[in-house]
């Protein structure tokens, strides 16, 4: 089993920046891919960015150039650096992980509110 804990969300003004963290624990060696999703009020959950052992890294068009994913393998942590935030970025942000067997895990989410 894999456990995911997000942190770093909060209230930020438009144009501001925020850095989210996701710490994985449990059977972390089984993780083959991780991603960030978000769900805005009244909308479906959408992929923000995903990464895996492969070469491809995909960002949603709405966040390209503003958000950056990174990782620290030693600490089993992935990060989402967000800049130039806008009100439409307001959402609950979720960390996810996929295992070698295909199991999919979610964190509990961390809310981000962009408001002036």
């Amino acid at each position: 089993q894999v456990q995911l804990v997000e942190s770093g969300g909060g209230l930020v003004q438009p144009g501001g920046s925020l850095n989210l963290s996701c710490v994985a624990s449990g059977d972390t060696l089984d993780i083959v891919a991780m991603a960030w999703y978000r769900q805005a009020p009244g909308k479906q959950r959408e992929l923000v960015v995903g990464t895996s052992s492969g070469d491809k890294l995909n960002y949603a068009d709405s966040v390209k150039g503003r958000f950056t994913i990174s990782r620290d393998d030693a600490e089993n942590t992935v990060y989402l650096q967000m800049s130039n935030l806008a009100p439409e970025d307001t959402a609950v942000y979720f960390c996810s992980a996929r295992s070698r067997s295909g199991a999919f895990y979610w964190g509990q989410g961390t809310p981000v509110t962009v408001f002036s």
Side-chain angles (χ1 to χ4, degrees), residues 19-20 22 33-37 47-52 56-59 63 66-72 77-82 94-96:
N19 189 25
L20 307 183
C22 174
M34 298 191 72
W36 287 96
Y37 289 76
L47 176 68
V48 176
V49 61
T51 186
S52 69
K56 294 185 177 180
L57 182 63
N58 297 313
Y59 290 87
V63 307
R66 300 188 299 119
F67 291 12
T68 302
I69 190 171
S70 61
R71 71 183 191 187
D72 185 335
T77 303
V78 297
Y79 304 92
L80 184 66
Q81 295 175 296
M82 305 183 294
F94 297 89
C95 180
S96 69

Side-chain angles (χ1 to χ4, degrees), residues 8 10-19 65-67 80-87 89 93 112-116:
L11 177 65
V12 64
Q13 294 186 358
S17 299
L18 210 58
N19 189 25
R66 300 188 299 119
F67 291 12
L80 184 66
Q81 295 175 296
M82 305 183 294
S83 62
N84 297 318
L85 287 164
D89 295 315
Y93 284 72
V112 172
T113 301
V114 185
F115 179 78
S116 62

